[in-house]
Amino acid sequence: MAAYEVCETQWRTGFACVTGFDYSACIATLNLYLPRWKASAPAGDPIHAMEVADLLDDLRTIEEALLSAWAELAEQKRTASPDP
């Protein structure tokens, strides 16, 4: 969750919608935060075994879920709206 919170402002947008995360920006951000998270985590916390790639995998899972949910909502709006 923390990885998403620090990267949530790094969405790329296209003509009409969000297209996904700006991975370059997310990787740079995660490289800054991961050492801080490890330093503040208690011994034995799973964060100590994690690398940026692990966090990026988790972030991609969140990204995929959000993009799917947003696409579904957009489709619902299109089908619910009367044609002009």
Side-chain angles (χ1 to χ4, degrees):
M1 185 60 150
Y4 175 74
E5 289 174 355
V6 299
C7 291
E8 69 182 332
T9 60
Q10 301 306 322
W11 288 99
R12 286 192 180 231
T13 56
F15 175 69
C17 63
V18 174
T19 59
F21 278 118
D22 179 340
Y23 289 123
S24 297
C26 288
I27 290 167
T29 301
L30 294 173
N31 275 318
L32 289 173
Y33 277 87
L34 185 57
R36 294 178 192 179
W37 294 332
K38 286 182 177 185
S40 65
D45 190 293
I47 193 76
H48 292 293
M50 297 186 91
E51 300 297 329
V52 168
D54 300 316
L55 297 173
L56 197 56
D57 288 342
D58 293 344
L59 199 57
R60 285 181 175 148
T61 300
I62 295 168
E63 172 192 47
E64 183 179 334
L66 285 171
L67 289 174
S68 293
W70 291 337
E72 186 177 315
L73 287 172
E75 182 60 25
Q76 288 174 0
K77 284 182 182 179
R78 276 192 295 275
T79 58
S81 298
D83 290 335

